[in-house]
Amino acid sequence: MEHNERIYVAGHQGMVGSAIVRQLQKAGYEQLIMRTSRELDLRSQKAVDQFFADQKPDYVIVAAAKVGGIGANSTYPAEFIYDNIMIEANLIHAAHQWRVKKLLFLGSSCIYPKFCPQPIKEEYLLSGFLESTNEAYAIAKIAGIKLCQYYKQQYGDNFISVMPTNLYGINDNFDLETSHVLPALIRKFHDAKETGADKVIVWGTGKPRREFLYVDDLAEACCFLMQNYESNHIINIGTGKDLPIRELAEMIREIVGFAGDIVYDATKPDGTPVKLLDVSRINQLGWQAKTPLRAGIEKTYTWYTRSDVCY
Ligand code: GDP
């Protein structure tokens, strides 16, 4: 990728897309193309095709998606499967038609089977049943991976797919109905501290284990892979370390400085019991995550308290 080439970052207002834009700008890329969802509805094939005809991007990064935590995924499965299939099919097909030099598609660690061996290797894709709470999203993301692989196989398109683990960081979603666990807990502990509440409710049993990657590390990995990866195989991006939700909750309580109790609500779903990626493939290429979990949460919390996000 040359500094004067045209790079379209789809989904630049989201947590991932905005981190990728920051990373590209830092690396000196000047011709970034961005559109809000109001300006360009990526679910419309006609609109996407017209946009590619007008803009002719050299490179495309697909960070646009309908995303959400365990609550949103279970409540709105129809939107999660439809919106995501439409967005990725339109973008990947247009990238093929307009001969984009390279496309990077962002998947997710939830595409892997619910009960696969840990840590999860890339080859476990489609080796078992999916976790039911996010099956709709996972099926859509698997379709996106297959689109990239088959366009590459049939036409030689340079399309790669990356599988990030659970992400967090600035511009995350802190809406308690739809967010993932890490921003939800930052908000719950912060609100409890502000209002002087004596306890915070954490969903599930606290036993499931998750891996968390700071979104700026993900953005760095995506730029690294745009330069250094051409394979038809998917590639995991993570830290290689996980922890139980219980420990995460305690760490966030400490960082926020909340003195009250943590109460577990076992009527809420736990989701998949463990989700830890095997990151040896990307590590062998020469990339490793930099930001320790505590430091990443501290940065995110500082951003949250200073930003004007309100729900
Ligand atoms: P998942 O990784 O797809 O399961 O998505 P989440 O990040 O939404 O949830 C991860 C785990 O954190 C699950 O076991 C949830 O039950 C648990 N959890 C605990 N408290 C919360 C909360 O307030 N919000 C969310 N979204 N999850 C929570």
Side-chain angles (χ1 to χ4, degrees):
M1 274 191 318
E2 301 300 327
H3 282 162
N4 59 355
E5 287 182 299
R6 295 168 65 73
I7 308 172
Y8 169 43
V9 181
H12 74 285
Q13 287 188 310
M15 174 175 67
V16 170
S18 59
I20 290 174
V21 166
R22 285 197 300 278
Q23 180 70 31
L24 288 169
Q25 283 170 337
K26 206 169 77 184
Y29 293 96
E30 291 154 4
Q31 302 254 34
L32 301 186
I33 308 169
M34 298 172 258
R35 292 291 180 279
T36 62
S37 50
R38 272 210 195 149
E39 290 163 341
L40 173 62
D41 182 354
L42 294 172
R43 295 167 304 180
S44 159
Q45 188 180 31
K46 199 163 155 232
V48 171
D49 205 43
Q50 189 58 53
F51 167 74
F52 273 71
D54 293 343
Q55 295 298 321
K56 302 198 177 55
D58 296 302
Y59 295 91
V60 173
I61 296 181
V62 184
K66 180 167 182 68
V67 296
I70 198 163
N73 266 277
S74 329
T75 317
Y76 308 108
E79 278 80 13
F80 272 82
I81 193 163
Y82 175 79
D83 288 5
N84 285 309
I85 284 181
M86 295 304 282
I87 292 168
E88 66 207 20
N90 289 337
L91 286 171
I92 292 166
H93 186 67
H96 163 70
Q97 282 194 309
W98 293 96
R99 301 212 163 79
V100 160
K101 290 182 187 167
K102 187 163 185 173
L103 173 145
L104 180 144
F105 174 68
L106 278 133
S108 157
S109 58
C110 72
I111 53 135
Y112 292 112
K114 177 168 185 168
F115 296 115
C116 63
Q118 304 285 326
I120 307 170
K121 291 185 193 296
E122 287 88 350
E123 51 266 34
Y124 299 160
L125 176 65
L126 291 174
S127 62
F129 291 106
L130 296 166
E131 156 61 32
S132 61
T133 52
N134 53 34
E135 191 198 64
Y137 178 75
I139 294 272
K141 285 290 174 187
I142 293 170
I145 294 169
K146 291 293 166 190
L147 277 163
C148 290
Q149 289 178 336
Y150 288 132
Y151 275 79
K152 188 175 186 99
Q153 180 186 310
Q154 190 177 331
Y155 297 109
D157 289 320
N158 191 4
F159 296 169
I160 61 168
S161 298
V162 307
M163 299 308 121
T165 192
N166 293 31
L167 301 167
Y168 70 98
I170 69 173
N171 289 328
D172 208 337
N173 169 17
F174 291 84
D175 178 339
L176 294 179
E177 295 291 314
T178 55
S179 65
H180 282 100
V181 60
L182 198 151
L185 295 186
I186 288 182
R187 175 155 178 212
K188 284 182 180 176
F189 284 114
H190 178 74
D191 287 355
K193 186 176 91 169
E194 296 286 289
T195 59
D198 58 353
K199 62 175 188 291
V200 157
I201 312 269
V202 174
W203 294 356
T205 60
K207 289 184 189 149
R209 300 181 68 93
R210 293 289 184 276
E211 174 189 13
F212 298 95
L213 177 69
Y214 189 56
V215 73
D216 288 38
D217 286 0
L218 170 81
E220 191 197 77
C222 290
C223 294
F224 173 83
L225 293 170
M226 282 300 276
Q227 306 285 14
N228 297 292
Y229 196 69
E230 307 255 297
S231 163
N232 208 0
H233 295 291
I234 60 175
I235 184 160
N236 290 339
I237 310 178
T239 62
K241 296 184 200 106
D242 67 349
L243 80 172
I245 296 300
R246 198 172 282 269
E247 274 177 34
L248 176 76
E250 272 152 25
M251 191 185 287
I252 297 178
R253 170 168 65 179
E254 236 176 82
I255 290 168
V256 170
F258 170 67
D261 293 330
I262 299 176
V263 175
Y264 290 90
D265 175 3
T267 63
K268 288 277 196 283
D270 266 348
T272 200
V274 207
K275 201 163 35 167
L276 174 65
L277 294 181
D278 182 320
V279 286
S280 39
R281 186 173 286 175
I282 192 166
N283 288 169
Q284 275 157 18
L285 287 174
W287 182 88
Q288 268 184 328
K290 282 199 196 101
T291 312
L293 182 59
R294 180 175 285 272
I297 297 175
E298 282 167 357
K299 280 192 206 176
T300 309
Y301 182 52
T302 303
W303 175 83
Y304 176 72
T305 52
R306 288 185 190 159
S307 74
D308 50 8
V309 278
C310 52
Y311 293 99

